[in-house]
Amino acid sequence: MTAADTAPRQTEPQSAGRNSGSGARAWIVTGLLVVFMMVNFADKSVLGLAADEIRADMGLSATEFGLANSAFFLLFSVAAGAVGLLADRVRPKWLLLAMALLWTVAQTPAALGGGLAVLIGSRVLLGAAEGPAFPVAQQAALSWFPNHRRNLPGALVTFGVTLGVMTAAPGLTWVIHHHGWRAALWVVAAAGALWAVLWAVLGADGKYRTDAAETLSGEPAVTPAYRRVLGTRTWIGTTAAYFTSYWAVALMVVWLPSYLRNGLGHSYDAAGRLIVLPWAVGAIALLAQAALTGWLMRRGVSSRWARGRVGAGLLLLGAVSCLAVPLVDGAAAKTALLAAGFGLGGSFATVAVTTVAELAPPARRGGALGTMNATVTTAGLIAPAVVGSLVDSHGAAGYQTAVVLSGGLLLLGALAAFTLIDPGRDAPRPSV
């Protein structure tokens, strides 16, 4: 570790951070955004939880079902980038409210009935409405906290993803089993509408959304062109690493329930419970990473180590676990490795968001986060279709091939994070 590694860039006044970042309103908003991400991922998980029922109801092959899930990401990435740029000009409060209302509208056509075309159209609209959710929610939460206090709120908003699946999986599985998969769509639509009402009353933007709050006294704000931010090694490395992590998340949401039932022989009810395991592992990793990163940064360790290399370690552990799946026998051992591999490999999101939030000045933060998310979530467009093709070609063995492929990608992501991430080197600095 060099001297440069122990001299983090200071971009916000510490006293202002203490006064603003610890207020009750900041944590109320953060809590609402956690719930926002819970609803968001409950929406995404419905089709994966009901995969067998939907395929039987509509007579779909694994490839067709994979393509139907990939349709969710058709406009997902485009919307993430476009709305991310818009978030630098429009208050995130109103963008988030519009998204939540659109989620409810998008669920309605498939919930009412119709065939594959209606399902695909509904998922395309839902994907467009949900694509910007994560970067805009993170931008809204981080606007209440200075850089050195962002790890916990960033982790909590990401943790909402895990909570969404952990709470939704058993409940939605029960609804699907007893009332059908369309009833589950009505449940998540109602949850989105209820959140929108709460957010309209209690939501707000924080003071760190503006340049003035994040510059040292007397120093002008730096507003570089987007291409200067997106061309840095830190942004490129973060995005590449996050892409591999999102690939693992996409497979967890869409295909892991089917793998547990059809590939590993778990019963329907057991699979509904076991699907929670990788998300639980990811939740523990997420909070541990936030605590470790915050502890390191408070002691003067740079983000190169505290974020980049801690994140690389998570991806490496996830890769090793996935690559070990073919080497063990028995459903229990394979399930444990799947939980570790996808849980650890899928927990890079907070590292990615807080790194880019440190790299990009406030006037470019929404665009930098949105463009990263747009790039990363193309994994969700590709992964379900690839796995569907593998399952149709190789049967149950195709699931295991997909896990090994994920392990290889996570290994590349760990390498990118370890070698490229260094916000202290790449962040624009105030003129002197």
Side-chain angles (χ1 to χ4, degrees), residues 117-141:
V118 173
L119 178 63
I120 289 176
S122 177
R123 298 302 284 182
V124 170
L125 178 58
L126 181 64
E130 291 200 346
F134 184 69
V136 177
Q138 286 282 3
Q139 184 187 18

Side-chain angles (χ1 to χ4, degrees), residues 87-120:
D88 288 330
R89 297 166 177 81
V90 178
R91 291 176 60 191
K93 173 178 178 175
W94 303 121
L95 293 175
L96 291 166
L97 179 61
M99 277 183 251
L101 292 173
L102 281 173
W103 297 352
T104 298
V105 172
Q107 302 283 10
T108 304
L112 287 171
L116 180 60
V118 173
L119 178 63
I120 289 176

Side-chain angles (χ1 to χ4, degrees), residues 10 12-22 146 148-149 207-208 213:
Q10 191 70 27
E12 303 94 350
Q14 301 280 330
S15 59
R18 285 191 295 271
N19 294 337
S20 165
S22 59
H148 68 289
R149 296 177 63 88
K207 67 174 290 184
Y208 287 100

Side-chain angles (χ1 to χ4, degrees), residues 13-382:
Q14 301 280 330
S15 59
R18 285 191 295 271
N19 294 337
S20 165
S22 59
R25 188 64 181 275
W27 293 109
I28 290 171
V29 170
T30 300
L32 283 171
L33 292 170
V34 171
V35 177
F36 177 79
M37 292 310 304
M38 290 175 67
V39 176
N40 177 278
F41 258 73
D43 287 346
K44 287 184 178 70
S45 67
V46 171
L47 263 63
L49 293 170
D52 293 343
E53 289 79 5
I54 294 172
R55 287 180 60 189
D57 186 21
M58 297 187 174
L60 304 179
S61 68
T63 299
E64 289 170 331
F65 180 73
L67 289 172
N69 276 277
S70 292
F72 175 84
F73 290 95
L74 189 63
L75 297 179
F76 190 97
S77 299
V78 174
V83 178
L85 293 169
L86 188 63
D88 288 330
R89 297 166 177 81
V90 178
R91 291 176 60 191
K93 173 178 178 175
W94 303 121
L95 293 175
L96 291 166
L97 179 61
M99 277 183 251
L101 292 173
L102 281 173
W103 297 352
T104 298
V105 172
Q107 302 283 10
T108 304
L112 287 171
L116 180 60
V118 173
L119 178 63
I120 289 176
S122 177
R123 298 302 284 182
V124 170
L125 178 58
L126 181 64
E130 291 200 346
F134 184 69
V136 177
Q138 286 282 3
Q139 184 187 18
L142 300 185
S143 73
W144 287 90
F145 301 88
N147 180 52
H148 68 289
R149 296 177 63 88
R150 285 178 181 153
N151 296 297
L152 180 57
L156 289 174
V157 173
T158 308
F159 185 51
V161 173
T162 301
L163 283 177
V165 177
M166 290 175 66
T167 57
L172 290 177
T173 297
W174 184 89
V175 172
I176 292 164
H177 190 60
H178 291 87
H179 301 284
W181 63 274
R182 296 186 196 274
L185 295 179
W186 285 116
V187 171
V188 292
L194 177 60
W195 185 89
V197 172
L198 293 173
W199 181 253
V201 176
L202 299 173
D205 300 315
K207 67 174 290 184
Y208 287 100
R209 181 172 174 258
T210 62
D211 286 307
E214 289 216 19
T215 55
L216 292 170
S217 176
E219 293 183 341
V222 179
T223 308
Y226 282 111
R227 59 182 174 78
R228 289 191 59 191
V229 176
L230 307 186
T232 61
R233 283 179 285 173
T234 292
W235 189 90
I236 293 169
T238 302
T239 302
Y242 190 16
F243 176 92
T244 68
S245 182
Y246 201 90
W247 180 286
V249 171
L251 295 192
M252 274 199 290
V253 171
V254 176
W255 282 114
L256 190 55
S258 292
Y259 184 20
L260 291 171
R261 291 193 294 263
N262 304 323
L264 298 180
H266 293 291
S267 70
Y268 190 95
D269 290 337
R273 293 189 297 270
L274 290 172
I275 191 63
V276 172
L277 282 179
W279 298 99
V281 171
I284 294 169
L286 198 66
L287 297 177
Q289 174 270 318
L292 176 60
T293 297
W295 180 82
L296 290 171
M297 294 188 72
R298 286 193 298 272
R299 280 153 181 77
V301 177
S302 75
S303 288
R304 177 188 177 192
W305 286 86
R307 286 178 174 145
R309 295 190 174 176
V310 169
L314 288 175
L315 295 177
L316 179 60
L317 290 172
V320 170
S321 298
C322 286
L323 294 172
V325 168
L327 305 179
V328 300
D329 295 321
K334 290 181 182 293
T335 301
L337 286 173
L338 284 172
F342 285 130
L344 294 171
S347 60
F348 189 79
T350 300
V351 173
V353 168
T354 53
T355 298
V356 171
E358 179 182 355
L359 173 71
R364 295 291 180 258
R365 187 167 296 149
L369 289 171
T371 306
M372 176 180 68
N373 216 58
T375 304
V376 162
T377 52
T378 57
L381 181 64
I382 301 167

